[in-house]
Amino acid sequence: MDVCLARLPLGWNGAYRHFKHPLDYLGADGGGGVGAGPGLVVGTALALKGTDRMAAGILGDGDFLMSVTALWTATHYRMPCLIVVANNRSFFNDEMHQERVAKERSRPVENKWIGQRIDEPDIDLAMMARAQGAVGIGPITKVSELKHSLEEAIKNVKAGKVCVVDVRVLPGYDANMSGASAPARR
């Protein structure tokens, strides 16, 4: 199946997928702003409507939450697409920033999570997708559940639906990336 990735999360290692066609991956949004992801995926779905290529994106949970209502537009105008949310329950990039600032200002680093974590209470991202008229799957908490969930999601997208899969991941960036740090533990 031909897929057009409209968005990948910060810290994504490009070696994970080899892009061979100009529509395989559209690239970064250019501004680095959190919240562009859902709109980029929906816009890609509009551009690809009537083709055999599936619009998809892997988004961080913060990115997803900032613009979740873009899903309503996709469902209203029947623009099938797939969004996989890499849900680390944090605005993690900001946690990293808070850590740097805390060190510079001789403040407690252990407070970096305050105002950045998206946890306690947990947010049901699949339910938020359903509230916009999309199919919501998850949260997926075990690798053994992932393949079946993605197969179900793709089946829904092929049937013309908007589908979101909430996949729980550890906070952190790929250790194989240059300059990336190992996942943080809570």
Side-chain angles (χ1 to χ4, degrees):
M1 170 194 293
D2 289 327
V3 175
C4 181
L5 285 170
R7 174 78 160 193
L8 293 171
L10 287 172
W12 181 266
N13 186 332
Y16 290 161
R17 182 171 164 108
H18 299 285
F19 304 117
K20 297 178 175 134
H21 187 277
L23 290 178
D24 286 350
Y25 175 53
L26 298 184
D29 58 29
V34 176
L40 291 171
V41 176
V42 171
T44 300
L46 175 62
L48 294 174
K49 196 167 185 171
T51 72
D52 291 333
R53 191 173 281 266
M54 182 177 68
I58 304 172
L59 314 179
D61 49 337
D63 192 21
F64 178 78
L65 286 168
M66 293 285 181
S67 300
V68 68
T69 56
L71 297 178
W72 180 88
T73 301
T75 58
H76 179 77
Y77 290 105
R78 293 175 179 78
M79 296 182 287
C81 56
L82 171 62
I83 293 176
V84 177
V85 182
N87 185 354
N88 63 15
R89 293 155 318 283
S90 171
F91 293 105
F92 185 74
N93 188 56
D94 288 334
E95 277 196 55
M96 300 295 290
H97 174 71
Q98 294 300 326
E99 181 175 331
R100 284 189 299 275
V101 170
K103 287 176 181 175
E104 286 176 17
R105 297 180 180 174
S106 300
R107 306 219 184 221
V109 173
E110 58 272 9
N111 291 342
K112 69 181 183 179
W113 65 272
I114 296 171
Q116 309 308 323
R117 295 271 168 87
I118 309 170
D119 203 3
E120 297 178 20
D122 193 14
I123 298 174
D124 189 337
L125 301 184
M127 180 63 76
M128 290 185 79
R130 289 191 290 275
Q132 307 305 313
V135 175
I137 299 172
I140 307 306
T141 58
K142 298 177 186 154
V143 173
S144 61
E145 301 170 336
L146 187 57
K147 182 180 178 187
H148 172 72
S149 298
L150 290 175
E151 287 170 346
E152 181 183 344
I154 291 167
K155 182 176 81 177
N156 276 290
V157 174
K158 284 183 173 181
K161 298 178 181 175
V162 176
C163 190
V164 174
V165 182
D166 176 8
V167 181
R168 300 301 170 92
V169 299
L170 290 173
Y173 295 121
D174 186 317
N176 295 320
M177 291 183 59
S178 172
S181 59
R185 303 284 182 204
R186 292 187 196 180

